[in-house]
Amino acid sequence: MASELNTRALQQVTSESTTPALLSVRNLNKTYPDGTQALHDVSLDIPSGQLVAVIGLSGAGKSTFMRCVNRLVEPTSGQIVFDGQDVTRARRGDLRRIRRQMGMIFQQFNLVQRLPVVTNVLHGRLGYTSAVRGCLGRFPQHEVEQALEMLAQVGLADQAFKRCSELSGGQMQRVGIARAMMQGAALILADEPIASLDVSSSEKVMTILKEVATAQRITTIVNLHQVDFAQQFADRVIGLRDGSVFCDMPTDGLTEDLIRDLYYGHVPQQDEED
Amino acid sequence: MVQTSTPAEVGGIPTDPQATRRRVTHRILWGLAAAFVVLSVFQLGITPQRFTDALPRASFVWDRMWPPAIDDGGALSTAVVESLQIAIVGTAFGILLSIPLALIAARNVTPFAPLSLAMKGFAAFVRAVPALIWAFLFIMAVGLGPTAGILALAVNSTGMLVKVYAEALEEIPMGPIEALQASGASRSHIAFQGILPSVVRLFIAWSVFRLDINVRYSTILGVVGAGGIGWELTRAASLSRYDVALGITVVIFILVMATEAVSQWLRRRVDDDTAFRVEE
């Protein structure tokens, strides 16, 4: 199965030059108010349908990079173009329209614990829902049915009407995936989706993400701590070190030496406290 | 200089100079407080004789209080209902006013940070003014009657509810809010679907507690003419119908106790519902 994935990955990476990138990042910089330079001149192109793993030490800028893409974090400078739209220049209304085309999955799942599972999935539609209906949580029948279908796809059909707080971590993350899928997004951003999960839940969550990316050709960017998971599931691996792109290649191009350099080849004087 | 004269030093036991200074400060404060109490007793002319003189009059009133009586049952029950209505409507207005203000006051959800501080200051001011004074102010504004009482309770409740609601809001997890933002939800969507579900039970618990307080206040508001059973009590007293006054007092007592029982029952239900929150 691994070799199958790799050939697919190669095909996709080689076709990169012909298809226009879904997401194009140019000279992205982010310096936090406390002076921490989280991203330094990051430029990337991600074509449609790829599953890209972003790896690197904690503090390397993975999470900041992802949050700049949907502007949960304001970039300091640089340009992000998503599906022909300039994300960095978008004003409030436009930003909302861009955001609803990007699903996001979080390390801490970020579900509203007090609400039923299916309502949390339906939250993925809020960007398309009118103020009154959205506030009251009155979603149209076909969306409710779609949400139940999504839950069935992630294997949680029988949990739909439980409160989220009653689920296990792995189940919560699958609800998070269903919520992101519910958006009908072209891009899914998964920020450390398995960092709080045990191995078997992690496998399950990554497998679902992989299925979504392949079957529905949804471009997926996954921040990962674990290199082995990146190698097992991703088409392409981007290594971030100290806020800069250290390596960017098809998964099977990732060698032991590169990994060692990425994680241990730190130049001491650049080492920051984070 | 002060330190050398403390008893501890005289006793030859070495002490921490800071502790000694604190002790001296405490003694001075206690001395001043005691002096103030003694001065007040003299200035207000409170002598044992005043108490002994009051005794015959007290027994006169006491004798005429028994048995407690209900003079005009119809008017009294109308007044009881009016008191409850003032409390309920006043609380409802207070809640409706407090929710949007609390959304401004809570540090983590405020649309504009300096407004948060301003709103908290405003709530603290409103809270500092007692309900009876608000009632006086509103009687001047809208005249005698239940309207003044309702407005007084609404405003006075707002002072407290904005504070406790804002504190509840400041405790909510921010992750789900970030998730809704990321999905393109609007501010109002986030308020209703992300924030409200996390705080609604605490809001209910505090609101019920405030209703309990407002029922107590509503019984006394009538004394200054802001409607309700307090007015009946004042009237009975001014007509020297002490038996009726006692009867009304008993009714107020029952009303307040019943409210407290209901409020505790309601809050316990909410607590049971939220018990699982601990394991999160």
Side-chain angles (χ1 to χ4, degrees):
Chain A
M1 182 179 162
S3 62
E4 246 177 67
L5 288 182
N6 286 339
T7 45
R8 238 180 55 76
L10 269 179
Q11 279 162 8
Q12 284 193 357
V13 173
T14 43
S15 66
E16 195 175 323
S17 47
T18 53
T19 48
L22 178 74
L23 181 72
S24 169
V25 178
R26 288 288 168 270
N27 311 107
L28 185 67
N29 284 288
K30 172 65 189 179
T31 308
Y32 284 103
D34 68 354
T36 314
Q37 193 171 14
L39 292 177
H40 182 69
D41 210 26
V42 171
S43 295
L44 294 169
D45 280 306
I46 295 173
S48 221
Q50 270 191 352
L51 197 160
V52 181
V54 180
I55 59 172
L57 291 168
S58 25
K62 303 189 296 290
S63 197
T64 302
F65 169 69
M66 191 160 277
R67 282 173 162 69
C68 281
V69 171
N70 61 10
R71 276 180 56 198
L72 285 179
V73 167
E74 277 309 320
T76 310
S77 68
Q79 195 190 30
I80 296 164
V81 177
F82 169 76
D83 202 16
Q85 307 159 88
D86 190 335
V87 180
T88 27
R89 293 243 188 91
R91 307 196 48 130
R92 213 158 112 174
D94 290 327
L95 182 60
R96 277 190 56 200
R97 272 183 287 279
I98 292 172
R99 278 177 172 171
R100 65 191 193 188
Q101 299 167 52
M102 301 178 176
M104 193 164 189
I105 295 162
F106 301 83
Q107 177 178 351
Q108 295 304 330
F109 328 125
N110 291 1
L111 306 173
V112 182
Q113 299 283 326
R114 298 298 176 76
L115 292 178
V117 168
V118 65
T119 309
N120 271 281
V121 178
L122 283 162
H123 279 171
R125 296 307 294 175
L126 279 177
Y128 294 91
T129 311
S130 76
V132 176
R133 290 187 80 105
C135 288
L136 299 177
R138 296 190 66 86
F139 295 92
Q141 185 61 32
H142 71 271
E143 286 187 352
V144 177
E145 280 162 17
Q146 197 190 343
L148 293 172
E149 214 171 280
M150 295 289 174
L151 282 169
Q153 271 187 46
V154 297
L156 293 174
D158 50 339
Q159 315 280 333
F161 299 101
K162 278 193 181 170
R163 234 185 240 176
C164 273
S165 48
E166 294 171 51
L167 302 187
S168 72
Q171 290 174 323
M172 285 194 207
Q173 193 58 295
R174 285 188 271 154
V175 177
I177 295 174
R179 177 174 64 185
M181 281 159 55
M182 196 66 196
Q183 284 178 237
L187 173 70
I188 284 184
L189 304 166
D191 187 21
E192 300 277 8
I194 55 171
S196 318
L197 302 180
D198 60 47
V199 181
S200 87
S201 298
S202 297
E203 291 265 1
K204 212 174 246 170
V205 163
M206 286 306 296
T207 306
I208 291 171
L209 274 178
K210 177 79 190 171
E211 276 169 18
V212 171
T214 346
Q216 306 178 22
R217 282 190 67 74
I218 298 177
T219 311
T220 306
I221 306 176
V222 189
N223 284 347
L224 282 176
H225 235 57
Q226 305 92 326
V227 181
D228 49 334
F229 274 103
Q231 286 175 313
Q232 191 185 340
F233 290 98
D235 303 320
R236 170 180 167 191
V237 174
I238 296 169
L240 283 185
R241 201 173 88 174
D242 297 328
S244 302
V245 177
F246 176 75
C247 58
D248 180 357
M249 58 189 55
T251 306
D252 56 359
L254 193 68
T255 61
E256 288 298 317
D257 282 349
L258 264 177
I259 294 168
R260 203 168 35 243
D261 263 11
L262 177 64
Y263 281 90
Y264 306 105
H266 248 205
V267 185
Q269 63 262 35
Q270 284 190 340
D271 208 341
E272 282 164 30
E273 70 267 65
D274 57 350
Chain B
M1 224 167 68
V2 180
Q3 286 161 18
T4 52
S5 61
T6 59
E9 287 272 311
V10 174
I13 306 153
T15 49
D16 171 18
Q18 268 210 329
T20 315
R21 197 174 321 143
R22 204 161 42 234
R23 196 166 335 132
V24 171
T25 315
H26 281 183
R27 275 181 198 187
I28 291 171
L29 287 177
W30 277 112
L32 284 174
F36 183 78
V37 171
V38 172
L39 187 75
S40 299
V41 166
F42 278 110
Q43 200 185 3
L44 298 174
I46 299 171
T47 55
Q49 208 201 336
R50 289 275 290 242
F51 288 111
T52 49
D53 285 355
L55 269 179
R57 186 167 164 70
S59 74
F60 172 77
V61 172
W62 181 253
D63 288 343
R64 301 180 124 223
M65 271 185 174
W66 294 97
I70 304 291
D71 178 35
D72 180 351
L76 187 62
S77 48
T78 312
V80 168
V81 171
E82 189 174 81
S83 272
L84 277 175
Q85 283 171 325
I86 291 171
I88 291 169
V89 177
T91 312
F93 282 177
I95 292 168
L96 289 180
L97 204 61
S98 299
I99 290 176
L101 296 186
L103 284 167
I104 296 172
R107 205 180 336 102
N108 53 342
V109 293
T110 185
F112 181 55
L115 264 184
S116 152
L117 216 61
M119 189 54 68
K120 282 181 181 168
F122 170 74
F125 164 75
V126 168
R127 214 164 46 238
V129 178
L132 273 182
I133 293 185
W134 284 115
F136 268 121
L137 292 174
F138 282 116
I139 284 169
M140 284 189 268
V142 300
L144 289 169
T147 314
I150 288 170
L151 289 173
L153 288 186
V155 170
N156 196 236
S157 305
T158 304
M160 171 185 139
L161 291 179
V162 167
K163 177 177 190 273
V164 295
Y165 287 173
E167 280 170 1
L169 285 168
E170 284 171 356
E171 297 289 316
I172 60 167
M174 290 307 281
I177 305 219
E178 195 186 26
L180 294 189
Q181 267 173 350
S183 73
S186 68
R187 287 190 77 92
S188 57
H189 286 153
I190 293 171
F192 278 88
Q193 288 292 308
I195 299 173
L196 213 57
S198 307
V199 292
V200 71
R201 284 173 178 80
L202 265 178
F203 275 25
I204 290 174
W206 279 114
S207 307
V208 168
F209 181 51
R210 184 63 214 194
L211 178 65
D212 184 355
I213 296 174
N214 281 350
V215 169
R216 286 157 208 263
Y217 276 148
S218 75
T219 60
I220 202 69
L221 281 178
V223 174
V224 297
I229 195 171
W231 172 243
E232 298 294 320
L233 184 64
T234 317
R235 208 168 51 142
S238 61
L239 293 174
S240 301
R241 287 294 306 273
Y242 300 117
D243 53 343
V244 175
L246 184 62
I248 294 171
T249 309
V250 170
V251 170
I252 291 178
F253 177 77
I254 293 168
L255 180 64
V256 169
M257 292 305 282
T259 311
E260 189 172 321
V262 170
S263 130
Q264 274 191 358
W265 175 76
L266 275 173
R267 270 184 289 153
R268 206 173 309 124
R269 280 198 49 160
V270 176
D271 281 349
D272 284 348
D273 221 19
T274 41
F276 70 89
R277 209 160 54 105
V278 181
E279 68 205 39
E280 278 173 25

